Amino acid sequence: MFESKITSRSLIFPLVLLLLLVVSPFTFTTALSEEEDEYADDLQELIAIDDEQESGGNSPHYESRDFGKKSEAEVLSKAQRVVIELNGDSTKRVIEENEYVMVLGYAPWCSRSAELMPEFADAANVLKGSLGIGILMAKIDAERYPKAASFLGIKGFPTLLLFVNGTSQPYTGGFSSEEMVLWARKKTGVPVIRINSITEANEFLKQHATYAVGLFDKFEGPDYTEFVKAAAADNEIQFVETTSAEVADILYPVAKPTKPFFGLVKSEPEHHTSLDGNLSSDGILRFLENNKFPLVTLMTELNSAKVYSSLNKLQVYVFAETDDLKKLVGILQEIAKKFKSKVMIVAVDIGEENLAKPYLTLFGLEDSEETAIIAFDYNSNSKYLLESDPTSRNIEDFCSQLLHGTLTPYYKSQPIPDNKNASILTVVGKTFDDLVLSSPTNILLEVHTPWCITCETTSKQMQKLAKHFEGLENLIFARIDASTNEHPQLQVEEYPALLFYPAGDKSNPIKLPTKSSLKELAAIINKNLKTKEPLAKDEL
């Protein structure tokens, strides 16, 4: 992951997943080298054997996805028979000579590559015979073949790429095997699964817990066109279609849908949700965006980027230990129902440091093990903290105030320090108003952070300047650690920073150049003091 500098001007929120992925299908309609052609024949024979073993001699409409019974070794072993290993000689030819190619770029030492490989293997096993889609599944050791990796556009590990007729397009799907399969189907011309019988519907339900269903008089017309358009544009939800009321009863059993109908089914307490009004592509996509997440979303590394990028910009996060989260889930779900589509509620296991710590650090709570409830308004880039007990009533009020914009933004602050006899005052978030903005005196403020490699040099200059101007009643030297203290009027983007706050206008601080010499800084200070007093020491 990349380290980000946290500033008081903008909140830096964690984007956990930075995999650059892209997927695609395959047909061996072109001439490969003699060795590759022989490999292709062997591959087709193995695929036929696999299909026969899995289906008892018949190719099923929906392939079995009982991944739980397969060991990772078995999956990877099978994937090696289905997935072609690219090298420096074959890469360009395979990409250019096949309509669809799905490539996994990896490095042997990369742990994320190792995590993604079983998911890629599962997807390969499904896509090889699913719905008649031809997908050439391939992988390449991008570290061993850097030139081939560069040709493909692989810049990091792991990377999934979808090539369509030799041209790559960005992967925008999820990172589980199911999500890869879904995305590949949609991008290769199969955005919707058609279900014609109750038997097919029951088979579908064995494999899918979340899906969108459309019921129509016939598979044509304006509503149906908009439905298919939305299915192709969405990258996360499996769409199914039917003209049978009996099939619709199986897929969406809580109501008697009237044609045309669109509904979403999820595996959570709010199991069924339908779209009211006329069907339009934009309306369907907005409906899915507002309803695709559970009432309470448990954050994982796989979904954290989706949570962050959600169109719902009012988000409440509940951080707690595993057992405490289990106790809170029911309460949170009831609260979430009242703010559905308006406030997103996210649960985070505080023990998952990679997920929890970046958020908690923004509030100075990174070392806390207590339940914490925070909120973000991404529209105004503001953050909030529930400072009362996390009871059902307090959490609901917190969500309500976030929705109505009546919460007071939260700013980090260290405890108020003892500045007695200090030549340079320590300012914290809680004292910024009193010591800087409300002070009748000129203030020279040093803004620093622990990670700033040049802050120490500036701090030494401040100490010498403070000694140089010692005894001057109309000038106070101060410093603040911006990593642990915030204030809405402290706007700094680079560290270190030297800000001169004139006694007569604290709203417009003057930024001093930190790379200046001591003499230059002293001259600038004297100029801004507008005093006739000479420099106390010429040696500056």
Side-chain angles (χ1 to χ4, degrees), residues 204-427:
F204 176 85
L205 293 178
K206 291 178 182 179
Q207 304 164 51
H208 297 84
T210 299
Y211 55 90
V213 56
L215 173 64
F216 303 94
D217 281 320
K218 51 187 176 181
F219 299 125
E220 59 183 44
D223 289 328
Y224 179 70
T225 299
E226 291 295 298
F227 170 79
V228 174
K229 182 179 177 182
D234 174 77
N235 294 318
E236 301 176 33
I237 306 295
Q238 180 62 66
F239 278 53
V240 295
E241 62 186 19
T242 186
T243 57
S244 167
E246 291 78 12
V247 169
D249 285 340
I250 299 295
L251 299 173
Y252 201 92
V254 298
K256 293 292 183 181
T258 57
K259 302 175 182 179
F261 170 84
F262 181 84
L264 176 65
V265 179
K266 297 184 291 185
S267 57
E268 62 143 342
E270 190 194 37
H271 198 58
H272 301 86
T273 310
S274 60
L275 173 61
D276 296 327
N278 296 328
L279 299 187
S280 70
S281 175
D282 290 342
I284 290 172
L285 293 174
R286 281 196 303 270
F287 170 80
L288 292 178
E289 181 64 35
N290 289 331
N291 292 278
K292 66 182 179 181
F293 288 101
L295 287 171
V296 178
T297 300
L298 177 63
M299 178 176 279
T300 66
E301 288 197 1
L302 290 178
N303 70 12
S304 59
K306 293 181 184 179
V307 171
Y308 174 78
S309 61
S310 169
L311 295 181
N312 192 332
K313 300 306 180 183
L314 299 179
Q315 300 183 2
V316 172
Y317 292 73
V318 180
F319 297 86
E321 293 184 346
T322 303
D323 291 341
D324 292 332
L325 275 182
K326 290 179 180 178
K327 297 175 184 177
L328 283 170
V329 165
I331 295 173
L332 295 175
Q333 287 176 339
E334 290 303 312
I335 294 173
K337 290 178 182 178
K338 301 177 182 180
F339 299 95
K340 180 184 172 184
S341 302
K342 298 176 181 177
V343 176
M344 185 176 186
I345 297 182
V346 183
V348 187
D349 187 338
I350 206 169
E352 298 287 340
E353 288 194 3
N354 288 341
L355 296 175
K357 197 168 185 177
Y359 286 91
L360 294 176
T361 298
L362 294 171
F363 292 79
L365 301 173
E366 58 270 26
D367 296 324
S368 174
E369 296 181 357
E370 301 294 325
T371 297
I373 298 179
I374 65 178
F376 297 103
D377 181 345
Y378 289 101
N379 295 308
S380 63
N381 213 18
S382 300
K383 65 181 189 289
Y384 310 91
L385 173 67
L386 176 63
E387 300 189 64
S388 56
D389 294 334
T391 63
S392 175
R393 178 62 181 272
N394 288 340
I395 297 173
E396 183 175 338
D397 288 345
F398 186 64
C399 292
S400 179
Q401 291 178 60
L402 174 67
L403 178 62
H404 294 98
T406 57
L407 284 177
T408 301
Y410 177 83
Y411 298 97
K412 289 190 296 184
S413 177
Q414 292 176 297
I416 297 176
D418 181 5
N419 281 316
K420 186 177 181 181
N421 299 324
S423 60
I424 300 179
L425 301 183
T426 297
V427 178

Side-chain angles (χ1 to χ4, degrees), residues 477-498:
F477 288 81
R479 61 164 51 107
I480 185 169
D481 182 349
S483 70
T484 50
N485 298 280
E486 298 172 331
H487 191 279
Q489 294 189 46
L490 181 63
Q491 305 295 334
V492 176
E493 294 181 348
E494 295 182 356
Y495 306 105
L498 289 177

